Amino acid sequence: KELSKISLMEIYEAVEGKLDESPCIAPSKTCPFGSCLLCGVKKDMNEHLANILRSRTLDTLQGNEFDLNGAISRNLSSPGSFL
């Protein structure tokens, strides 16, 4: 597949699974607060991140200081240390 056809979202989802779309930062399903000061902030952040990941492709990384091949090699030799 051409680099221009592979979105960063495809890579993210292949590695991490679906992007978490829950609007709340609290790990439990029951909110301990009557109202939340951060209500909707995580949802907005997720939407912005998703838009960025969908709009950028692997070819957009070429020419940046990011060494994709080196990062992949490092990750394969020591899992859990990607980037």
Side-chain angles (χ1 to χ4, degrees), residues 8-9 12-22 42-54:
L8 297 184
M9 179 63 92
Y12 177 89
E13 290 182 339
V15 174
E16 297 291 333
K18 294 291 274 178
L19 187 64
D20 179 19
E21 295 182 10
S22 66
K42 183 172 181 264
K43 181 179 183 281
D44 291 344
M45 288 173 28
N46 286 344
E47 285 176 7
H48 288 294
L49 176 60
N51 288 335
I52 291 167
L53 293 176
R54 281 189 200 103

Side-chain angles (χ1 to χ4, degrees), residues 25-46:
I25 61 169
S28 80
K29 294 187 191 255
T30 306
C31 184
F33 308 105
S35 74
C36 182
L37 295 172
L38 299 175
C39 182
V41 172
K42 183 172 181 264
K43 181 179 183 281
D44 291 344
M45 288 173 28
N46 286 344

Side-chain angles (χ1 to χ4, degrees), residues 61-81:
L61 297 178
Q62 287 184 333
N64 291 340
E65 291 182 23
F66 181 74
D67 176 10
L68 183 60
N69 290 326
I72 291 171
S73 297
R74 283 190 302 278
N75 189 50
L76 293 175
S77 63
S78 84
S81 64

Side-chain angles (χ1 to χ4, degrees), residues 1-8 10-11 56-59:
K1 198 171 184 181
E2 294 178 34
L3 295 180
S4 63
K5 304 287 185 198
I6 303 170
S7 74
L8 297 184
E10 289 178 74
I11 295 168
R56 297 201 180 146
T57 58
L58 275 181
D59 67 326

